[in-house]
Amino acid sequence: MELLKNWHAQHKDSLSFGSKVADSVAKGMGSWSFIIIQTILVAIWMGLNLLAYVSHWDPYPFILLNLLFSTQAAYAAPIIMMAQNRQNERDRIQAQADYKTNIDAKIEIEALAIKLNSMEVDKLDKIIKILEEMEKKK
């Protein structure tokens, strides 16, 4: 028997390779690990260039480093936006699934209320019948 997948698993399975890469990159760039590692690398880059005895491959004001940051930002922004768009799609699908669940629950609750009301009416009818029979016996 094959188990039915929930909407999240179905959505995850439908992602292309590029979408999975974009999600991974956005997740990585949005972490403290990335910020800490990048800060350490920038500090090392600047330190080595300031303290270099013979050759400064990127002397102050670190134009090559700025170019690297610009390139990183040029690629990171659209990748992060793609990941955000997919997150919005996941949220919309989740909201639709929740709405459908709520509608189904409402229909079930209404059916139960009708059934309980019917049972109450039947009980009241039986009680009235018993009282009428008791009245007749007097």
Side-chain angles (χ1 to χ4, degrees), residues 12 17 19 31-32 39 44 52 73 76 81 84 129 132 138:
K12 192 172 181 180
F17 175 74
S19 296
S31 68
W32 278 107
T39 302
I44 291 171
M81 288 177 69
Q84 286 177 334
K129 187 177 179 182
E132 287 174 350
K138 282 186 184 182

Side-chain angles (χ1 to χ4, degrees), residues 67-131:
L67 177 64
L68 290 174
F69 281 143
S70 297
T71 304
Q72 177 188 26
Y75 283 100
I79 289 172
I80 291 169
M81 288 177 69
M82 286 187 289
Q84 286 177 334
N85 288 340
R86 271 189 299 288
Q87 182 61 47
N88 290 341
E89 179 68 15
R90 284 189 292 264
D91 291 345
R92 187 183 60 76
I93 293 169
Q94 167 102 37
Q96 286 177 337
D98 289 346
Y99 178 75
K100 184 177 180 337
T101 300
N102 290 341
I103 293 295
D104 292 345
K106 180 183 178 220
I107 291 169
E108 272 190 55
I109 290 168
E110 288 173 349
L112 284 172
I114 290 169
K115 187 171 184 173
L116 285 172
N117 191 27
S118 172
M119 290 171 62
E120 287 295 318
V121 168
D122 288 345
K123 284 180 184 178
L124 287 173
D125 286 345
K126 288 179 183 177
I127 291 171
I128 290 171
K129 187 177 179 182
I130 292 170
L131 288 174

Side-chain angles (χ1 to χ4, degrees), residues 28-91:
M29 291 185 85
S31 68
W32 278 107
S33 299
F34 176 80
I35 293 171
I36 292 167
I37 290 169
Q38 186 165 0
T39 302
I40 291 169
L41 291 175
V42 167
I44 291 171
W45 179 289
M46 293 171 127
L48 289 176
N49 273 288
L50 290 173
L51 300 176
Y53 183 70
V54 176
S55 174
H56 300 277
W57 71 89
D58 187 22
Y60 181 82
F62 310 112
I63 294 171
L64 181 58
L65 181 62
N66 284 323
L67 177 64
L68 290 174
F69 281 143
S70 297
T71 304
Q72 177 188 26
Y75 283 100
I79 289 172
I80 291 169
M81 288 177 69
M82 286 187 289
Q84 286 177 334
N85 288 340
R86 271 189 299 288
Q87 182 61 47
N88 290 341
E89 179 68 15
R90 284 189 292 264
D91 291 345

